[in-house]
Amino acid sequence: TQVEEIIVRNGRAAGVRLRKGEELQADLVVSNADPKTTLLRLLGARHLEAEFARRVQHLRAVGTAAKLHLALSGRPQFRGLPAAQLGERLVIAPDLDYIERAFNPAKYGEFSDRPVMEITLPSLHDASLAPAGHEVLSAVVQYAPYDLKGGWAAGKERFLAAIMAVLEEHAPGIGALVRHAELLTPLDIEQQFGITGGHWHHGELSLDQFMMLRPVVGAAQYSMPVDGLYLCGAGCHPGGGVMGSAGRNAARVICGGR
């Protein structure tokens, strides 16, 4: 159920107000939403010191990665890849020059026509994800700007075609196996999942937004400036991609296990 507001009483988080107006009282509020959503929209800058609110406002969290989901009628075969390794994480990024060329278009509001991809086939590990004889493929695709020049309504199909062309090079015949394709751009991710800027890590993983600086100075230990409010999502250390670590760390802090 969507939360509309974090309730604050006497300077302490005291529960949440849901979209339908219902209020849930609580001693603690633990948010898995991104820092900007949690602190600026749900809590409100009025409950924060001005300098802290400014740091959160300037947190860089504009997405540059898209997510591709494919429903396949069979098992794809990748060039040079032993069948036993098909269930591993497959990365299309031959060298640093390839990555640099893939990123360059995003600097000018365009998508990469030869993107970097991190590919998994989850159905190889969980057969319940697809009917017998079928597979599902999931890929993080970089780079895709949040604000695409000309808009994503016009550009999404072209980007999908570019992605499939690169996949076809590495897994010949995969296009013929596709029964359904879903491509989520950073804008889609923001609109569907409420993540500010559509950044899958809830904020850039850069040197000034790492470790004790994540998400911002003064909020590195999962406990927020408002008593009783904690962050536990990808916007915290160690960031997205290290599955569950931020939540476990936040739980240890909440339970006094620091």
Side-chain angles (χ1 to χ4, degrees):
T1 301
Q2 186 167 333
V3 172
E4 287 292 319
E5 181 184 2
I6 295 172
I7 300 169
V8 178
R9 293 195 178 95
N10 300 319
R12 181 180 178 85
V16 295
R17 182 174 295 107
L18 306 181
R19 167 173 280 184
K20 295 182 179 180
E22 181 184 1
E23 290 191 6
L24 302 178
Q25 308 302 315
D27 295 328
L28 301 173
V29 175
V30 186
S31 176
N32 190 39
D34 67 271
K36 286 190 172 183
T37 293
T38 300
L39 296 167
L40 300 182
R41 186 172 71 79
L42 299 180
L43 179 69
R46 66 188 181 279
H47 295 296
L48 303 168
E49 292 184 357
E51 176 58 23
F52 185 87
R54 185 192 67 81
R55 293 172 190 163
V56 176
Q57 183 64 51
H58 287 279
L59 177 68
R60 296 190 307 282
V62 178
T64 57
K67 189 68 183 294
L68 173 70
H69 300 125
L70 297 179
L72 305 173
S73 61
R75 185 166 296 181
Q77 300 298 320
F78 285 78
R79 291 184 188 273
L81 184 73
Q85 295 182 0
L86 189 60
E88 305 296 328
R89 185 178 69 142
L90 312 178
V91 180
I92 298 178
D95 51 44
L96 290 176
D97 287 339
Y98 183 99
I99 297 172
E100 182 71 20
R101 289 192 297 270
F103 178 68
N104 280 337
K107 296 187 291 188
Y108 307 103
E110 300 171 350
F111 59 75
S112 172
D113 59 358
R114 295 190 62 78
V116 170
M117 280 185 260
E118 299 177 48
I119 302 163
T120 59
L121 282 92
S123 51
L124 295 181
H125 304 283
D126 182 354
S128 68
L129 295 175
H134 294 62
E135 305 291 351
V136 292
L137 180 148
S138 176
V140 176
V141 184
Q142 300 180 93
Y143 292 86
Y146 174 82
D147 290 314
L148 182 70
K149 189 180 299 182
W152 278 113
K156 184 184 287 190
E157 288 302 318
R158 292 188 293 111
F159 188 36
L160 179 58
I163 295 168
M164 292 306 303
V166 172
L167 275 176
E168 192 73 30
E169 291 180 18
H170 295 272
I174 192 172
L177 299 176
V178 176
R179 293 296 173 262
H180 181 73
E182 178 187 53
L183 180 62
L184 299 176
T185 70
L187 182 61
D188 292 324
I189 292 171
E190 180 181 65
Q191 292 175 345
Q192 292 188 32
F193 301 102
I195 300 174
T196 304
H199 200 296
W200 63 315
H201 290 305
H202 291 187
E204 286 183 14
L205 293 172
S206 54
L207 289 177
D208 61 338
Q209 294 184 176
F210 265 150
M211 298 178 71
M212 77 292 295
L213 304 177
R214 189 167 187 84
V216 296
V217 174
Q221 299 302 317
Y222 310 96
S223 176
M224 296 299 102
V226 173
D227 288 344
L229 177 61
Y230 297 83
L231 287 182
C232 68
C236 305
H237 174 72
V242 188
M243 305 307 179
S245 294
R248 179 180 182 276
N249 291 349
R252 287 173 62 87
V253 171
I254 293 167
C255 295
R258 286 174 283 184

